[in-house]
Amino acid sequence: MYILLICSVFSCKDVKDLNGSWIIVDSQNEFQKENTFYEVGTPPGNIILSFDDGNYKFLNSGFGVNPEQFEGMIQVKKNSFLFGDSEDSSELKQLNSNIIEIHSTNYIGYQNIETFRRIDDSLKHKAVDFSLTDKKYSRKFQSFTDTVHFLNDSIYTSNSWAHGGDNNFDYHRFQHNGFDILFTDKYPPFIIKNIIKDTIYISTFSKEKEDYIMTEVLDNN
């Protein structure tokens, strides 16, 4: 069964208008009030959607455990896009050149709205490869400052969430179309732009793009 994406205008734009990579920045259902900013601790999305002259790729990270991915060719039929196998039908609305929304109905009949933002090519990672494993970084996100310890290639801890319960959280870092992407289960998606000595330069995406740095803490105790 195909996902049906219906253009929000009377005639579909050329599929080339969608070319590039898009990262999820918001996900909500019809009963949630629209958020004007990302609230730390809110479960983020972990989806990348890419288009290339009618070819598409969909990746739901699943933090590397159960990643969902498929690809194919968009089929244009009158005012609709057809692509992918799915159990639901979805409507795609291109709000502007950098924002698209996918409206879908889940298995219990609720409408979900997923918002994607185009990732600018200037954010592609050009530095030499490096590992996060067994390193600590101090970072500031909005009004929060914390220290993050990447224990291995999939688990990190954060002193911001150290109070009560399990302090181990999942992350998934991977390369996609030239972008160095970092998904975590506590923050919105990250794009790693560069590393200079002990400093990593990052852009994060929620309603707006925000730039900040992560500085390595050399004492790993």
Side-chain angles (χ1 to χ4, degrees):
M1 183 176 181
Y2 289 106
I3 296 177
L4 178 60
L5 296 188
I6 306 174
C7 293
S8 59
V9 293
F10 291 104
S11 60
C12 282
K13 295 182 178 180
D14 193 293
V15 291
K16 292 184 178 181
D17 292 335
L18 296 174
N19 279 358
S21 296
W22 303 75
I23 194 165
I24 192 166
V25 296
D26 189 41
S27 179
Q28 58 183 303
N29 62 48
E30 60 186 304
F31 299 107
Q32 293 173 312
K33 293 182 179 179
E34 182 176 358
N35 294 321
T36 56
F37 61 91
Y38 181 84
E39 181 180 355
V40 174
T42 302
N46 54 356
I47 300 173
I48 295 287
L49 185 59
S50 299
F51 299 94
D52 181 15
D53 291 350
N55 295 290
Y56 73 88
K57 293 182 180 179
F58 174 94
L59 171 64
N60 188 332
S61 162
F63 299 116
V65 179
N66 295 302
E68 178 186 8
Q69 53 187 326
F70 51 83
E71 59 185 88
M73 172 71 75
I74 293 175
Q75 301 176 30
V76 181
K77 183 178 180 181
K78 294 184 178 180
N79 294 333
S80 300
F81 289 140
L82 298 175
F83 72 106
D85 293 327
S86 177
E87 296 181 353
D88 61 11
S89 60
S90 304
E91 178 183 3
L92 184 147
K93 298 181 179 181
Q94 186 164 6
L95 305 187
N96 54 52
S97 61
N98 292 315
I99 299 291
I100 60 175
E101 286 185 347
I102 295 180
H103 297 236
S104 61
T105 303
N106 63 23
Y107 70 99
I108 57 176
Y110 293 163
Q111 185 181 65
N112 295 320
I113 302 173
E114 294 175 319
T115 304
F116 291 78
R117 185 182 181 95
R118 187 191 299 274
I119 312 175
D120 192 270
D121 284 346
S122 64
L123 299 181
K124 290 185 176 181
H125 183 41
K126 300 179 178 64
V128 296
D129 192 25
F130 66 98
S131 174
L132 295 174
T133 300
D134 199 28
K135 292 182 179 179
K136 283 184 181 180
Y137 290 92
S138 174
R139 68 177 177 180
K140 183 176 181 180
F141 177 76
Q142 295 181 2
S143 61
F144 293 84
T145 300
D146 64 356
T147 298
V148 178
H149 186 187
F150 296 94
L151 300 179
N152 51 41
D153 62 359
S154 62
I155 302 294
Y156 77 97
T157 63
S158 168
N159 66 354
S160 289
W161 304 96
H163 55 282
D166 189 357
N167 188 36
N168 289 348
F169 305 108
D170 295 316
Y171 80 92
H172 182 203
R173 181 187 173 205
F174 61 99
Q175 300 289 326
H176 181 83
N177 290 352
F179 298 104
D180 195 346
I181 298 171
L182 178 64
F183 284 133
T184 78
D185 61 1
K186 280 294 182 183
Y187 291 93
F190 302 132
I191 306 294
I192 298 175
K193 298 184 295 185
N194 201 358
I195 179 171
I196 300 177
K197 295 183 179 179
D198 62 351
T199 300
I200 300 176
Y201 294 84
I202 285 179
S203 288
T204 188
F205 290 84
S206 57
K207 290 294 184 181
E208 301 293 337
K209 181 174 77 72
E210 180 176 338
D211 300 312
Y212 72 103
I213 62 175
M214 293 171 56
T215 304
E216 185 173 1
V217 179
L218 298 181
D219 181 7
N220 285 339
N221 294 323

